[in-house]
Structure formats: C-alpha cells, structure tokens
Amino acid sequence: MRKPIIAGNWKMHKTIAEALELVNSLKGSTRPEVEGVVCVPFTALSEVKKAIAGSDLKLGAQNMHWEENGAFTGEISPLMLSEIGVDYVVLGHSERREYFAESDETVNKKMVSALSHGLTPIMCVGESLEEREAGAEKKKVEAQVKAGLKGLSSSDIEKIVIAYEPIWAIGTGKTATSEQANEIISFIRNVVRDIAGEVADSVRIQYGGSVKSSNVAEIMGQSDIDGALVGGASLDSEEFAKLINYGEVK
Ligand SMILES: O=C[C@H](O)COP(=O)(O)O
C-alpha cells in the first residue's frame, strides 16, 4: 500500500516570517492518511522544522550538493540538511535542469548521496512541449529515470519518490489530463520494475504541473498516481490544506 504524498515546492518564495505564518496555519489541516510535505527555501528550513514539530507535516529541501563538504561556494550539503532534520529533498527539478545546468549525471550523484545520508529524494522527470509534440515523452522520461537510478540498490529505490512533471504544465495553468498523467506514471512504474523488480509497486510516483484544489481529487483518483508535487498552489495555506484533503476543507 503506497501512502499518498502531497508536497508543496515553494521554489524561491517566502521569507522566514512568511514561511512560519504559512506552516502555523497549515498544521491543523493535515491528516494522517496523506503525507503532507513542505519543501521550503534553505533559509527557512531550521525555523520551519521547529514550527512543525509534533505535527504530521514533513520537511523538504529543494536541492543539495552531492558532497558532504568542500570548496563549492553557495552550495548546501546533505550533512547540513540531515543535521536540521530534513526528511525529503527535491532533486532534478526541471527548473534546476534548465537554469542551473543540472544533468542526469549530477542528479544521479545527488540521488546516491541523499539516500546514503538518510534523506528521501523526490526525483523529478518530465518532457518538454517539443518532446511531447514529437511523441517522445516516454523516451525522455525513461532515459531520465534510468540515469537517475543508476547504481542504486532495489532497497534504496524502494524508498524514493518520483515526480512526473511535464514541463509544459508547470506554472502554465495547463494541466496534463489525469489520464495522460496516469499513463506516463504507469509507464514510469514499469521502467522502475525493469530496473528494480517488484519494489516498483512500493515506489510512490507523483504528478506535478498546475495542480490545485479544484483538480487534485481527479488526479488522485487515478490508479497509478500516488501524490502531487505542487508549486504555485502550495504558497497559500488554505489552498494547500485543501490539496492535502483532496479539495475538501477540513
Ligand atoms: O515543483 C512543482 C512544479 O514545478 C509544479 O509547479 P506548479 O504547480 O506551479 O505548476
């Protein structure tokens, strides 16, 4: 049984004060059957960790370097994240691949490192509009999944979360239909099965791209979709509370 996971990726939004305001009003709206995760900027991690103590909310970072320390100006290491008590780390988001030259190889190094430091990666994959229009979406996500999971054991793969985020649906208001999302997510699960066998049935795979309270129930109703990675709609506590509750207000 895969526990649903709704993660908010705040991207480069929220000062510490704003972050605390959001999580403090969100804390009472969680429910034990669904894992709610807030992936906050590095600067807010420590304070948000303290603020969510004792609640069902989990904490995520949005990136990390693969090394524990070194001359890597501006980077944050897995040791630094685990010291704070971070649970999840988003790796290979399309914005990092596009604007910060992340490659399948660096994503793989980060995957290996995160798992060895007890952090659960949320590994993002997804095709561009051009790739979708050329009918190459499966080829693209298959290559990203295989490269990202290279060298990982089945027991490590069992722990990870994958987020399928078609780039053309991110922040555009264009959601993939729930059937389109389910089809690719089911395909991704088969790719994982080829690599790691039956543990593929335990791997949680999210959909991301313009998810909001008005479409979350339909998305979560699909057979292979285990959650959502939410950008814009996670920045408002009421909206994110509704997302965790599949559109209902608790
Ligand atoms: O990480 C989240 C995704 O990039 C989706 O963002 P969005 O919900 O604003 O489309």
Side-chain angles (χ1 to χ4, degrees):
M1 190 60 190
R2 301 187 296 265
K3 184 170 182 177
I5 173 168
I6 305 284
N9 174 15
W10 293 3
K11 308 190 180 183
M12 197 173 71
H13 293 282
K14 307 283 181 195
T15 61
I16 296 173
E18 290 166 344
L20 290 176
E21 195 183 332
L22 195 160
V23 292
N24 283 329
S25 54
L26 188 62
K27 277 192 294 190
S29 305
T30 57
R31 54 180 177 143
E33 319 84 83
V34 175
E35 207 163 355
V37 185
V38 284
C39 300
V40 312
F42 289 134
T43 46
L45 284 170
S46 286
E47 290 301 317
V48 169
K49 178 71 188 176
K50 289 179 219 155
I52 63 176
S55 80
D56 288 326
L57 279 174
K58 297 277 177 60
L59 182 63
Q62 300 173 18
N63 179 37
M64 59 167 229
H65 198 279
W66 57 88
E67 294 288 354
E68 289 189 342
N69 44 56
F72 301 107
T73 301
E75 291 291 309
I76 297 289
S77 88
L79 276 185
M80 297 166 186
L81 298 184
S82 54
E83 182 189 36
I84 293 172
V86 166
D87 306 291
Y88 289 91
V89 58
V90 178
L91 296 177
H93 191 281
S94 60
E95 288 151 14
R96 295 218 51 92
R97 292 179 192 259
E98 183 178 352
Y99 306 130
F100 302 99
E102 293 231 347
S103 64
D104 285 339
E105 290 68 34
T106 58
V107 172
N108 178 243
K109 286 183 182 182
K110 293 178 181 195
M111 291 290 290
V112 172
S113 175
L115 286 158
S116 73
H117 289 87
L119 300 162
T120 301
I122 299 177
M123 183 181 82
C124 302
V125 298
E127 82 283 0
S128 65
L129 183 59
E130 297 70 40
E131 288 159 340
R132 165 70 61 164
E133 284 174 349
E137 64 274 16
K138 288 184 177 163
K139 194 170 160 216
K140 176 64 179 285
V141 297
E142 179 174 14
Q144 287 180 321
V145 170
K146 284 185 171 166
L149 303 189
K150 202 170 158 194
L152 296 183
S153 65
S154 297
S155 60
D156 271 343
I157 291 174
E158 190 169 16
K159 297 174 199 150
I160 71 168
V161 176
I162 298 175
Y164 167 59
E165 300 203 308
I167 297 167
W168 48 272
I170 296 177
T172 58
K174 278 188 202 169
T175 322
T177 66
S178 46
E179 291 79 18
Q180 276 175 325
N182 197 53
E183 185 196 350
I184 300 296
I185 285 176
S186 158
F187 172 77
I188 289 172
R189 195 175 304 290
N190 285 332
V191 173
V192 176
R193 189 170 289 113
D194 287 345
I195 300 168
E198 64 188 19
V199 303
D201 292 319
S202 309
V203 173
R204 292 178 296 171
I205 310 181
Q206 301 171 304
Y207 167 74
S210 298
V211 178
K212 40 193 180 296
S213 60
S214 56
N215 59 22
V216 66
E218 192 190 336
I219 289 165
M220 292 307 294
Q222 296 291 316
S223 59
D224 266 279
I225 302 181
D226 304 314
L229 183 59
V230 185
S234 72
L235 294 172
D236 178 80
S237 61
E238 266 184 47
E239 177 70 359
F240 194 59
K242 283 191 202 164
L243 282 161
I244 294 176
N245 292 284
Y246 299 174
E248 304 290 324
V249 189
K250 203 178 173 187

